Amino acid sequence: MERNKTIMKLCYLQTALYIVFLISLVAHHKYNRNGKIFALLVILSLVGCAVSLTLADYLRTMIQNSGFDVAGVHDKKSLEKKLLQLQNADDTLDVGIMMFDLNNLKKINDTYGHEQGDVFIQTFASYLTRILTEDSFLARFGGDEFVIVQNHATWSQLEQMNIQLQTMLDAYNQTADHPISYAVGYDISCKNHYYLIMDLLQIADQKMYQDKRYKKEILAGKTQAHFRSRLVESISTESLKEKLFTILTNSNGEKKYAFLMTDVNNFHLINDYWGYETGTDILNFILKKLELFPKTLFVNRYHSDIFVSIIDITGQEYADVKKEITAYNKQTAQEVLGSYPVNYFSLNTGIYYLENGQIPCDEIISHTNIVRRKAKSSLLGVCEYTEEIALEEQKRADTIHSFQEALSDKEFQIYFQPKINGKEQKIASAEVLVRWKRSNGELWFPDSFLPILEETGEIEALDYYVYEEAFRWLAARKESGLKLIPLSLNVSPVHFRKIQTFTRKVMELIQKYQISSQYLIFEITETTYIHNIESVNQMIRFFHDQNIRISMDDFGSGYSSLNTLKDILFDEVKIDKRFLSDDLTEKGKIVLQEIFHLLKRTHKFIVCEGVETKDMVDFLVEEGCDELQGYYYYKPMEMKKFEKLIA
Ligand code: C2E
Ligand code: CA
Ligand code: CA
């Protein structure tokens, strides 16, 4: 067609030349004596003109009838012809229709003129032609819409074509003045004559509009920043969401996909030790490897060392998918270890199975991110998003959202666990432990909600609540002339970020309820101490000035060395229950004896928690343990029960 256009232009040029020649002939006629030659030349020029014009006209009609468009692809008329042909064919099985809508054409036309608009269309069309196969028929449907009719189409093929187009355009957009974006919709006639071709076209069109609306919505909320970004290899969350959305809306329900997030264990160590260049090389290598993973539809670097991919898992069992990914990650790690100077390398992958198509894309991303992080602590380095994890997350959300209301509704209750004097075997004091009585009647234990409240910082308010409840109880007993008993209260690590506030609030409460310092012991865990030695010591000094005792909770569970024992200001050390776990072995006994020995020599009060058997009691009492706490004696109990116990 291009050749015809050129010939047509040459014809017009030739005609123009003949006309110029004719004019100059007429102008010079008076000097020309030979009338015959003059007439011959005029006739020849006129004949030449007529031939050129006829040829040009013939070519023009030929081009017009060829069914091609300015964009160099088939036009609407020839598309209609093609569709009619298909409609009348015996077999319309596996005909795929892809509808494309080029964004921003109007804006380009209005701002830069139609010539630029044509270039914009032609560029997009030229990229479209690159994804075609011998079974494709590409046409411009009009304006900014294009259609590909694909014979013998498969879903993966259409997906691949779309991914290929997007990838090429992503690269083009990095440097383009007018970045190209588009919406796409596709469908395939899956049973013989199941669809009329026009219905198929309509379905693809609907999907395309869905895609377009979604992309418009998210584009509206963001700047053009990601187009300008020079970080070639990474994809923005918005684009990732678009990709997920496009694949999900175009899925025919028979296909199954998994969304993966993969990252390198301790990647920063590679950067720190081997340098950024090695780090970058390794990341590029991983990207290549991920692209080669079977049935991968799409891979991109997401940010830092995190990669995202979508794989087709149709017909596969989830267990096999997981196995395959685990093996592939291992193989990749081996190759990295073999090709780069690093001595340690492993990958983690979080898997999300895209089955119920209606879940918002940002949730898919955040769910997958959760399991990617979980994968780090799993044995295989691969973790799937499961119902269980979903429930965990739900519980997390429930905890966070209902906490404030629960606190003001007094859903939290204090329980008491008695501590027994070693020599006298009588209740000497008690530890106050919190419980959450949910409005639905469930009783929640601290381990299930405290870590969450610790993350959000709301544990701060809960601690003050628990202290106030405990102080109120002590004050009420004092008022009624009942026996008082010292209480151990847990201090969560968040308070060490603002010691002044903590000490002030505690003192306010102590004054409000007129609590005598001898009835209070604050428990700070060894781990908290190790991470905040200075602030913990500062707090201990403050409480010592008020004659309040401090206990080191869970001693031996963290990583403090015995060396730290010589400096610690704690009055009491509470040996972690893990020392007493199951049965106490001979070696376990030796360790405990040595710890006791050391603590006695540094004049610490020794408490053992998790005491569950008579054997343990006998051994601990023999070794001089000052107080014992555990199920052997009592489990944590409600206030009323505890009051009866000590009455
Ligand atoms: P913790 O301070 O080490 O508390 C002792 C935990 O061990 C309690 O669990 C208690 O029920 C359990 N326990 C007691 N005796 C035995 C035994 O013989 N065997 C076994 N296996 N376990 C025993 P609980 O009440 O579930 O509390 C768990 C953790 O939650 C506590 O560990 C403490 O760190 C935290 N916690 C509880 N209440 C509060 C609170 O009001 N404020 C703060 N900040 N933390 C609290
Ligand atoms: Ca404790
Ligand atoms: Ca403890």
Side-chain angles (χ1 to χ4, degrees):
M1 189 187 69
E2 281 306 313
R3 217 183 58 198
N4 287 350
K5 271 187 190 169
T6 320
I7 298 174
M8 192 177 76
K9 280 179 196 156
L10 283 175
C11 288
Y12 285 128
L13 185 71
Q14 203 176 351
T15 314
L17 285 175
Y18 278 126
I19 290 168
V20 171
F21 182 67
L22 254 178
I23 293 169
S24 61
L25 262 186
V26 174
H28 294 90
H29 177 55
K30 52 187 167 200
Y31 310 110
N32 208 325
R33 301 278 148 90
N34 195 335
K36 269 187 191 161
I37 292 180
F38 171 73
L40 192 68
L41 282 174
V42 169
I43 289 167
L44 273 179
S45 315
L46 286 173
V47 170
C49 256
V51 169
S52 302
L53 280 173
T54 317
L55 184 60
D57 192 49
Y58 170 73
L59 287 169
R60 205 182 54 229
T61 34
M62 211 168 95
I63 289 168
Q64 272 170 0
N65 292 335
S66 71
F68 280 90
D69 180 88
V70 283
V73 302
H74 289 283
D75 63 6
K76 196 171 174 175
K77 250 197 194 145
S78 51
L79 174 68
E80 280 162 358
K81 228 159 89 189
K82 169 89 183 168
L83 293 176
L84 199 69
Q85 248 174 27
L86 280 172
Q87 190 62 60
N88 296 330
D90 296 339
D91 185 355
T92 55
L93 183 65
D94 293 338
V95 174
I97 300 263
M98 298 181 92
M99 294 275 293
F100 296 88
D101 183 295
L102 176 61
N103 293 330
N104 295 330
L105 177 63
K106 189 177 175 323
K107 207 166 109 194
I108 302 267
N109 274 338
D110 293 351
T111 325
Y112 304 98
H114 283 260
E115 218 165 280
Q116 281 289 318
D118 282 351
V119 173
F120 193 60
I121 296 173
Q122 278 157 2
T123 312
F124 183 57
S126 78
Y127 278 104
L128 281 172
T129 56
R130 290 186 219 176
I131 63 169
L132 303 181
T133 70
E134 54 189 7
D135 288 324
S136 318
F137 175 94
L138 168 64
R140 183 161 164 220
F141 198 44
D144 47 10
E145 288 185 6
F146 290 82
V147 175
I148 293 177
V149 180
Q150 186 76 16
N151 273 330
H152 316 297
T154 65
W155 280 97
S156 357
Q157 184 187 31
L158 300 192
E159 277 155 9
Q160 275 302 344
M161 285 165 78
N162 181 38
I163 301 282
Q164 198 190 343
L165 177 67
Q166 186 62 64
T167 311
M168 286 190 295
L169 288 176
D170 282 346
Y172 169 80
N173 287 343
Q174 297 296 330
T175 50
D177 290 335
H178 309 307
I180 295 178
S181 64
Y182 66 94
V184 63
Y186 47 85
D187 208 353
I188 298 180
S189 61
C190 47
K191 292 196 190 98
N192 214 359
H193 283 291
Y194 176 69
Y195 282 126
L196 293 171
I197 287 299
M198 280 309 167
D199 291 346
L200 191 62
L201 195 73
Q202 205 180 346
I203 291 170
D205 193 51
Q206 276 166 2
K207 284 183 176 179
M208 182 189 77
Y209 268 96
Q210 226 175 321
D211 196 29
K212 190 177 176 74
R213 209 176 324 123
Y214 172 76
K215 285 174 181 167
K216 247 199 191 141
E217 273 167 25
I218 56 172
L219 265 170
K222 70 176 183 184
T223 62
Q224 290 276 315
H226 89 282
F227 284 130
R228 273 184 258 116
S229 156
R230 290 275 152 185
L231 253 176
V232 185
E233 332 87 88
S234 82
I235 185 172
S236 70
T237 302
E238 297 310 330
S239 313
L240 179 59
K241 275 159 58 180
E242 283 175 25
K243 284 225 159 80
L244 275 167
F245 189 86
T246 306
I247 287 177
L248 287 177
T249 40
N250 281 292
S251 156
N252 66 349
E254 283 165 20
K255 300 279 297 193
K256 279 198 174 149
Y257 307 95
F259 177 58
L260 313 180
M261 266 195 193
T262 302
D263 76 341
V264 182
N265 236 340
N266 287 316
F267 180 70
H268 66 103
L269 294 182
I270 295 179
N271 266 346
D272 292 350
Y273 194 79
W274 298 102
Y276 276 86
E277 220 162 286
T278 306
T280 308
D281 287 349
I282 292 178
L283 289 184
N284 286 336
F285 179 78
I286 296 168
L287 183 70
K288 286 243 166 59
K289 285 295 295 182
L290 289 174
E291 277 168 357
L292 292 173
F293 186 74
K295 296 206 205 141
T296 295
L297 295 184
F298 149 81
V299 182
N300 225 315
R301 190 164 75 84
Y302 186 33
H303 51 78
S304 55
D305 61 323
I306 302 172
F307 295 86
V308 282
S309 45
I310 298 172
I311 56 170
D312 183 345
I313 55 160
T314 311
Q316 268 184 293
E317 295 287 329
Y318 289 166
D320 294 335
V321 174
K322 188 178 174 182
K323 254 190 222 156
E324 222 178 292
I325 293 171
T326 309
Y328 197 77
N329 280 357
K330 262 206 186 122
Q331 184 198 326
T332 305
Q334 285 305 325
E335 288 176 26
V336 168
L337 288 170
S339 324
Y340 298 92
V342 295
N343 306 316
Y344 165 81
F345 185 89
S346 66
L347 291 170
N348 307 299
T349 300
I351 310 175
Y352 185 92
Y353 298 111
L354 300 164
E355 38 193 11
N356 39 348
Q358 291 317 311
I359 168 164
C361 295
D362 37 7
E363 278 181 36
I364 295 176
I365 298 172
S366 69
H367 288 337
T368 319
N369 205 23
I370 286 169
V371 280
R372 175 187 62 83
R373 272 187 262 133
K374 273 192 191 287
K376 289 182 193 297
S377 51
S378 82
L379 202 64
L380 299 173
V382 176
C383 181
E384 298 155 296
Y385 189 81
T386 57
E387 195 65 27
E388 213 181 354
I389 294 171
L391 284 175
E392 216 175 273
E393 265 192 85
Q394 223 170 32
K395 179 162 186 180
R396 200 183 136 76
D398 182 17
T399 304
I400 293 171
H401 295 301
S402 58
F403 173 74
Q404 283 299 342
E405 210 177 312
L407 196 65
S408 49
D409 291 350
K410 293 195 164 255
E411 281 184 22
F412 293 96
Q413 288 186 7
I414 56 168
Y415 273 49
F416 299 78
Q417 188 177 29
K419 286 157 77 189
I420 313 299
N421 179 296
K423 280 192 199 117
E424 296 163 21
Q425 288 293 299
K426 280 187 186 150
I427 295 171
S429 62
E431 176 171 6
V432 175
L433 295 158
V434 73
R435 298 287 180 267
W436 188 347
K437 276 217 168 124
R438 304 299 316 259
S439 49
N440 61 6
E442 279 177 23
L443 182 71
W444 281 14
F445 286 82
D447 285 343
S448 74
F449 60 86
L450 286 190
I452 299 166
L453 298 180
E454 220 160 79
E455 262 177 61
T456 61
E458 272 166 321
I459 195 170
E460 208 181 323
L462 182 63
D463 270 357
Y464 295 133
Y465 175 89
V466 169
Y467 301 161
E468 183 150 13
E469 289 298 293
F471 293 177
R472 187 178 291 138
W473 182 77
L474 282 172
R477 286 186 73 85
K478 190 170 140 195
E479 174 105 11
S480 319
L482 294 166
K483 191 175 117 191
L484 290 184
I485 185 163
L487 296 180
S488 293
L489 298 160
N490 290 290
V491 181
S492 77
V494 295
H495 300 294
F496 294 93
R497 273 186 248 138
K498 24 186 176 174
I499 305 173
Q500 260 87 26
T501 315
F502 181 74
T503 49
R504 181 175 50 78
K505 286 212 168 164
V506 170
M507 289 319 291
E508 276 169 13
L509 286 174
I510 287 177
Q511 268 140 30
K512 179 174 171 190
Y513 292 95
Q514 295 288 307
I515 306 297
S516 168
S517 58
Q518 67 196 28
Y519 295 110
L520 295 181
I521 305 155
F522 283 105
E523 292 188 1
I524 299 167
T525 65
E526 179 189 51
T527 313
T528 308
Y529 172 67
I530 296 303
H531 290 121
N532 311 275
I533 293 180
E534 253 326 293
S535 359
V536 171
N537 282 341
Q538 196 184 330
M539 193 186 280
I540 296 179
R541 284 192 202 98
F542 175 87
F543 282 121
H544 278 176
D545 288 344
Q546 320 296 324
N547 280 322
I548 293 172
R549 283 167 294 158
I550 305 292
S551 172
M552 181 188 266
D553 199 359
D554 301 344
F555 176 78
S557 66
Y559 294 99
S560 68
S561 72
L562 291 178
N563 194 31
T564 54
L565 276 181
K566 72 182 190 333
D567 312 312
I568 58 172
L569 302 173
F570 290 86
D571 309 280
E572 175 185 297
V573 172
K574 209 170 178 185
I575 313 283
D576 190 61
K577 46 184 170 288
R578 265 166 280 191
F579 278 97
L580 300 177
S581 62
D582 301 332
D583 43 10
L584 201 49
T585 59
E586 281 312 306
K587 277 186 186 150
K589 282 181 179 170
I590 295 171
V591 172
L592 274 176
Q593 277 167 336
E594 291 308 313
I595 293 173
F596 276 30
H597 184 64
L598 217 91
L599 291 173
K600 290 265 174 235
R601 291 196 62 191
T602 47
H603 309 291
K604 304 294 177 202
F605 192 82
I606 304 173
V607 180
C608 280
E609 62 179 345
V611 181
E612 289 181 349
T613 62
K614 174 85 169 67
D615 283 351
M616 289 177 188
V617 172
D618 292 344
F619 170 75
L620 295 170
V621 171
E622 169 81 29
E623 292 305 321
C625 176
D626 296 298
E627 270 179 20
L628 298 91
Q629 175 184 351
Y631 295 170
Y632 175 73
Y633 298 102
Y634 307 101
K635 288 195 168 177
M637 61 187 82
E638 278 180 283
M639 188 185 281
K640 286 275 168 290
K641 210 171 157 200
F642 182 60
E643 284 171 350
K644 268 194 202 135
L645 182 70
I646 57 171

